[in-house]
Amino acid sequence: MNLEVLVFYLFASITVAAAVMVISARNPVHSVLFLILAFFNAAGLFLLCGAEFLAMILVIVYVGAVAVLFLFVVMMLDINFAELRQGFLQYLPIGGLIGVILLVELALVLGSWTILPSAGGVAAAQTPAIGDITNTDALGRILYTHYLLPFQLAGMILLVAMVGAIVLTLRARPGVRRQSISAQNARTKELAAELKKVSSGQGV
Amino acid sequence: MTAALSNDLVLAIPELILAIGAMALLLLGAFRGEGAAGLVNWAAVGVLALAAWATLAGTGEAPRLAFSRLFVVDDFARFMKLLVLLGAALTLPMARSFMARAGAERFEFGVLVLLATLGMLVMISANDLITLYVGLELQSLALYVLAAFLRDDAKSTEAGLKYFVLGALSSGMLLYGASLIYGFSGTTNFVDLAATLGHGDGTGPAIGVVVGIVFLSAGLAFKVSAVPFHMWTPDVYEGAPTPVTAFFAAAPKVAAMALFVRTMISPLGDLAPQWQQIIVFMAVASMLLGAFAAIGQSNLKRLLAYSSIGHVGYALVGLAAGGLQGVRGVLVYMAIYMVMTLGSFGCLLAMRRGGQMVERVDELGGLSRTNPMLAFVLAALMFSLAGIPPLAGFFAKYFVFVAAIDAGLVVLSVIGMLASVVSGFYYLRVVKVMYFDDAVGPLDRPIPLPVRLVVTASGLLTVLYFIVPAPLLVSAEAAAKSLMP
Amino acid sequence: MVAALVLMPLLGALAAGFFGRLLGDRGAQIVTSGLLVASAVLSWIVFFDVALGHQAAYKVQLATWMSSGALQVDWALRVDALTAVMLVVVNTVSALVHIYSVGYMAEDPHVPRFQAYLSLFTFAMLMLVTADNLVQTFFGWEGVGLASYLLIGFWYKKPSANAAAIKAFVVNRVGDFGFAIGIFAIFFVFGSVSYDTIFAAAPAVAGKTFNFLGYDLDIMTTICLLLFIGCCGKSAQLGLHTWLPDAMEGPTPVSALIHAATMVTAGVFLVARCSPLFELAPVALQVVTVVGASTAFFAATVGLVQTDIKRVIAYSTCSQLGYMFFAAGVGAYEASIFHLFTHAFFKALLFLGAGSVIHAMHHEQDMRHMGGLWRHIKFTYAVMWIGSLALAGIPLFAGYFSKDTILEVAYAAHSGPGTYAFWLGSAAAAMTAFYSWRLLFMTFHGKARWAGHGHDDHGHAHTPHESPLTMTVPLALLALGAALAGMIFYDNFVGNLREVFWAGSIHVAAGNHVLEEAHHVPEWAKLLPLVLSLGGILVAFWFYILRPRLPVALAETNPLLYRFLLNKWYFDELYDFIFVRPAFALGRLFWKGGDGRVIDGLGPDGVSARVLDLARRAARLQTGYVYHYAFAMLIGVAALVTWYVYRIGVTS
């Protein structure tokens, strides 16, 4: 057993344990923190595979943006998670049953894992050997050539997400004063100030 | 720009038109502000029409692949795209007056419909599991937003949220299935999949592939709202704004069904004995649930939701039958179903009493006396949905059942016909309430012109379809042929 | 000509029935009566040509009705002496009744409908008597049944009229069932329903038997008995007679036409028409004789105590039909038809006369509320006398010739059933005379008991009044027939000229000389009926004129007998107990239990209830909770995956 395998099992077991804690922790803030832990370990697994770009992206996007956002939301909204989880025990037996069944079946599926003999020749896309080229480079090449269409469409999805977010949340509140830069810039000295001659000793 | 890329772009012109149109209208709306809603709405209809026109180019040619074989354009795709574009183009104008009254006349509506339609077109032309997923997500995301478009309305928001959560789950299932299939076959491309899965060593496909197909079809079944993945449908249909519901019942359903058919017939065609059982199960469950659950409904939108579940079941009968005839049955079914359902929702949109939408069945009382024309069209549509000859709905059912019987699925057809009898109950109840119950009171006038046009057109198509059934049959046949290997 | 004769009443019926409102009351009356009179004139011409003029019998082929394998049925009119006699009877009486109805129904709001029904009936009756085959006969047979039903229930607002109509229809169904089976049997045996074919082939079948449930039955006897069941129903013979008295709920002209002169004699006609068959079935003839004689006696006894003027005459009709049947039963079909012929005149006369009385009394029918009427309606009184004299068989009047002939042939038959018929018939003759004069005396003599019994408040003075001319003229014509018909036609029908007159239309077996022998019966047998009739009249005179209290006292001293007769031998009660109530109970069982609980319960109602249950359950699945929905999806996927894992595990 070499070091690599040891590290793999370390990362993998921590990931699974953290995932269990995410759904079982009483405090939602703890849940999010466990989620971050799981992400980090998953990134470690990526690194083991030599996919350093994915590992970094995972840390930056999921930990740096998504999980932190989660943390904010959880802390800002006072959601009573205990109440939400009330039905949990009620559905545990049947849910557990379904879960166990699916687990057993998937184990069966994995047990019979064989790539179809006819599948040997068709690789989805030709990947250059690691070492010739960096991760980032390789991904970029394939994204902008072979997967041009999905890539562009992913852009459209993001556009929809943006539009949707604005549509659903942006509203013009009456009674809120907003900064109008153009109005500010258009202000002249004459508009902003008025000079008055005040006779001395008389007051305004 | 290389010649190959320009060649690809030519094939994707309808999609490009929609994408560019959507972005241009977004800019227009952003610069012009809220006042641009009407303009954007009509412009979106124009964009859809333009895309439809572009879709027609190259009809009858052999299927062509593009974008590294991720994208396919054939007659099947053209047929379904035209249906989708038509569905979208008819709902947009109907939505305007509704949104204006609901105080939600915003230009993003048109843009979102365009983007959703773009997603649907991509789904229809998908030739790869990745394209499939991306198209599906693009469509779904836009639809989630549309369902919640009346953001101050609790029901609408709830509908959007439910749709989103369950949709995410179904996407997960679909991705899981896709990854299983990829894992066992080493490819996501439909052409390669067909080649790989078609050359089994005689022991049948690996169990992993079959499980993958189950998960994949679960995700697709969610989009067409087939039982048991239908649960979102009644709630979302009821909660979403009525024009959005009309859009849901028409365009995405057609697109998802197209995707379903293509996925099952094209890459997985050789595994038909495996997936046929899934489809048969879903078809039976959908037909029966659609028939029984709708009986107790008092809300028309909910009723139509169950009705759409039932109709998906009938269309799936055609898919279960497979082959040229079965696919043709599905195509004819979806075309006729879309016309009928748009007409039905048009009728719903036309009915407003004292400023309130008429949504309950008992509010239709005596409609035959207060609005005889509307009542007649709605009655004709109900009869047609029930499948009573000589209305269009009868032919739709006829072709799928004939295909099923030819394919040896006699029991399935018999169950379908029985379910159709049961479903007659609630369709005829609507007619009975309109024609024999006491009048509730006159409806508000005038009915918006686009609504009137759509209702009239769909009523005419439904009633008079039997006079010229040939064009639809011929084009459906050509479309089905292009899908066959 | 014959076709026109048959179809004119149909034309009248259609005109009055469908365009009655257009024609108006008067128009409908003129159209139907006019067509009927024309038809009657034509039928007299046919009678003179065919029956008296000895022209050969002929057939008029109208169309092919059905042709299916061996079954060939034509619309064809068969004209021979028997048909000619029936045509005269039917059309004459019908025409007179049509005219009579103009006066009688003057105040009714549904005149066109009434006239249409009358004409429809006449058409059906003509189809019956001119039929060339059994199926066409059956068509006419059912047609008259329908018209009878419609006319009995003409006053459909009266519950009793509706009940009577239904009763008539249902009881006739029983008989028709026998008739229909008889037709099936004939077609089965002979392969044809045409009279000529059947009659030609009949002798070959005589004496042959068939096996039924282990019994060897004579074919001809079976067929004839089946036909006779039909006759019993239509002609109200003992057992199936119960509908006839109730049928008096219909308007009186209907009673005269249908329930006295024509329809009820259809059974007699059928026996005569099928004489070639009956002559080959002696056992069946004996049954006919016994049933006929029993009916004659039974109906006469019941007639003794009835108080409703029309019911008395109805039982009298029933009784006279019994005479006709036993005459046919002993083989004297000619005598039977002769009595049918004369009876049509005097019985129609009696009914129409009674109608005139009822008209005069403003629709009062109970004789106990009449009396002393002769001063007010002298003409009616006179014709009633003539009718009664004819009915009682007083010499020179029509009934004397026909009825005495019948009693003589019964005596001359020298058989057990014949003797039975002779004695019962003679007793019935005495009773007939008694109740006829009882009717006359109660109605026209004695104290006037009608004061304060003016009914139907319809605006005229409440004194009896003579009927209008439209009613008295038919009465006069019928009185003429009742007085003279017997005398004129005696020789032709049953006398020396009978063989040329009938010209083979009635078949008499070679060894059957009963009519000849009837002329040579002992003197006492000839005189007995007359003596008995006169005795009956005298007793009636004694009871109702000299000692009016005597009948009451008699009824009080013999309460059992009186009640027995008054309740018509308890036939209705018996049937009610045996058939009607069990049938109702069975019907209720099938309706509530079979249809309601089993068929509806398991069928429509049950299915719809289950559907609603399912619908409720299906709707309850929709809880609204997202996690329930997600759960449903997961269960679905898990189930499908399990199914496949299991299946692939099994196959590999």
Side-chain angles (χ1 to χ4, degrees), chain C residues 322-479:
Chain C
Y323 279 100
M324 297 177 207
F325 272 108
F326 75 69
V330 297
Y333 306 99
E334 298 94 331
S336 164
I337 295 297
F338 187 35
H339 194 52
L340 188 161
F341 182 73
T342 56
H343 173 258
F345 287 106
F346 62 71
K347 189 50 63 64
L349 174 64
L350 281 173
F351 261 121
L352 293 185
S356 181
V357 171
I358 293 166
H359 191 69
M361 294 298 294
H362 310 298
H363 295 274
E364 171 62 66
Q365 301 193 6
D366 195 331
M367 294 192 293
R368 286 170 300 187
H369 299 147
M370 299 179 182
L373 283 174
W374 71 275
R375 254 185 282 272
H376 300 280
I377 43 175
K378 288 194 178 113
F379 178 79
T380 306
Y381 177 56
V383 296
M384 287 297 275
W385 259 94
I386 296 173
S388 298
L389 286 169
L391 173 62
I394 302 303
L396 301 181
F397 289 92
Y400 168 75
F401 294 96
S402 52
K403 190 157 138 190
D404 276 22
T405 310
I406 285 176
L407 287 171
E408 283 160 19
V409 295
Y411 184 86
H414 296 303
S415 59
T419 314
Y420 173 79
F422 175 73
W423 286 109
L424 286 190
S426 301
M431 289 186 277
T432 306
F434 173 79
Y435 64 65
S436 298
W437 265 265
R438 171 176 174 265
L439 185 154
L440 280 177
F441 293 145
M442 281 182 84
T443 308
F444 293 101
H445 295 273
K447 273 189 289 191
R449 295 180 295 271
W450 35 267
H453 285 281
H455 292 259
D456 291 14
D457 194 15
H458 52 50
H460 6 149
H462 278 171
T463 39
H465 52 86
E466 187 56 271
S467 303
L469 218 56
T470 47
M471 289 168 69
T472 51
V473 170
L475 282 176
L477 289 173
L478 284 172

Side-chain angles (χ1 to χ4, degrees), chain C residues 183-209:
Chain C
I183 295 175
F184 302 156
I186 285 174
F187 181 70
F188 184 70
V189 173
F190 298 102
S192 167
V193 290
S194 167
Y195 284 128
D196 289 337
T197 321
I198 299 167
F199 295 163
V205 182
K208 295 222 176 111
T209 58

Side-chain angles (χ1 to χ4, degrees), chain B residues 162 165-166 169-170 173 207 210 214-215 218 222 228-229 231 234-235 274 277-278 281 292-293 295 297 302 306 422, chain C residues 610-612 614-615 618-619 621-626 628-630 632-634 636-637 640-641 643-645 647-648:
Chain B
K162 275 183 179 169
V165 172
L166 293 172
L169 181 63
S170 86
M173 287 183 181
I207 191 168
V210 178
V214 170
F215 275 95
F222 177 86
F229 310 102
M231 303 293 272
D235 291 11
Q274 270 70 43
Q277 293 165 29
I278 308 176
F281 167 74
F292 282 100
I295 287 174
Q297 303 305 324
R302 262 189 115 77
Y306 282 109
V422 175
Chain C
R610 294 292 83 69
V611 164
L612 284 181
L614 277 177
L621 284 179
Q622 208 68 30
T623 51
Y625 292 114
V626 174
H628 281 177
Y629 297 175
M633 289 165 66
L634 284 175
V637 166
L640 284 171
V641 169
W643 161 250
Y644 277 106
V645 168
R647 217 179 63 104
I648 290 175

Side-chain angles (χ1 to χ4, degrees), chain A residues 44-121:
Chain A
L45 287 172
F46 275 134
L47 271 180
L48 275 180
C49 304
E52 76 273 357
F53 181 75
L54 282 183
M56 292 309 121
I57 287 289
L58 192 65
V59 170
I60 294 168
V61 174
Y62 276 86
V63 178
V66 177
V68 170
L69 191 64
F70 269 19
L71 205 53
F72 267 109
V73 170
V74 166
M75 287 162 79
M76 283 168 76
L77 302 178
D78 185 20
I79 300 170
N80 190 346
F81 279 86
E83 193 183 309
L84 279 180
R85 215 176 278 145
Q86 256 176 3
F88 186 72
L89 280 179
Q90 189 189 340
Y91 293 99
L92 191 61
I94 185 158
L97 185 70
I98 301 278
V100 168
I101 289 174
L102 273 178
L103 193 68
V104 170
E105 283 163 355
L106 293 176
L108 264 174
V109 168
L110 292 179
S112 69
W113 185 288
T114 43
I115 300 251
L116 290 177
S118 50

Side-chain angles (χ1 to χ4, degrees), chain C residues 148-377:
Chain C
S148 160
Y149 168 80
L150 291 172
L151 282 165
I152 295 170
F154 181 74
W155 286 317
Y156 55 86
K157 284 178 186 157
K158 252 166 65 177
S160 59
N162 282 324
I166 290 170
K167 188 173 177 183
F169 206 69
V170 171
V171 175
N172 266 301
R173 276 285 78 56
V174 178
D176 295 349
F177 187 59
F179 187 21
I181 295 179
I183 295 175
F184 302 156
I186 285 174
F187 181 70
F188 184 70
V189 173
F190 298 102
S192 167
V193 290
S194 167
Y195 284 128
D196 289 337
T197 321
I198 299 167
F199 295 163
V205 182
K208 295 222 176 111
T209 58
F210 71 103
N211 192 289
F212 181 73
L213 299 181
Y215 294 95
D216 280 331
L217 300 175
D218 187 80
I219 292 176
M220 290 313 292
T221 306
T222 311
I223 288 176
C224 289
L225 282 178
L226 286 170
L227 294 182
F228 181 61
I229 292 175
C231 300
C232 275
K234 195 78 22 189
S235 294
Q237 291 303 288
L238 196 61
L240 297 178
H241 66 280
T242 51
W243 64 272
L244 184 58
D246 286 14
M248 297 304 131
E249 289 288 345
T252 310
V254 172
S255 310
L257 176 62
I258 300 183
H259 306 120
T262 56
M263 184 186 87
V264 289
T265 62
V268 181
F269 166 76
L270 187 69
V271 172
R273 171 61 85 206
C274 293
S275 52
L277 303 181
F278 276 91
E279 280 295 273
L280 297 170
V283 179
L285 280 179
Q286 287 174 5
V287 172
V288 173
T289 311
V290 170
V291 171
S294 306
T295 310
F297 179 77
F298 151 77
T301 57
V302 177
L304 294 176
V305 297
Q306 296 301 313
T307 54
D308 184 306
I309 184 166
K310 283 177 70 181
R311 275 177 186 261
V312 174
I313 309 178
Y315 277 103
S316 154
T317 307
C318 199
S319 171
Q320 298 301 312
L321 289 167
Y323 279 100
M324 297 177 207
F325 272 108
F326 75 69
V330 297
Y333 306 99
E334 298 94 331
S336 164
I337 295 297
F338 187 35
H339 194 52
L340 188 161
F341 182 73
T342 56
H343 173 258
F345 287 106
F346 62 71
K347 189 50 63 64
L349 174 64
L350 281 173
F351 261 121
L352 293 185
S356 181
V357 171
I358 293 166
H359 191 69
M361 294 298 294
H362 310 298
H363 295 274
E364 171 62 66
Q365 301 193 6
D366 195 331
M367 294 192 293
R368 286 170 300 187
H369 299 147
M370 299 179 182
L373 283 174
W374 71 275
R375 254 185 282 272
H376 300 280
I377 43 175

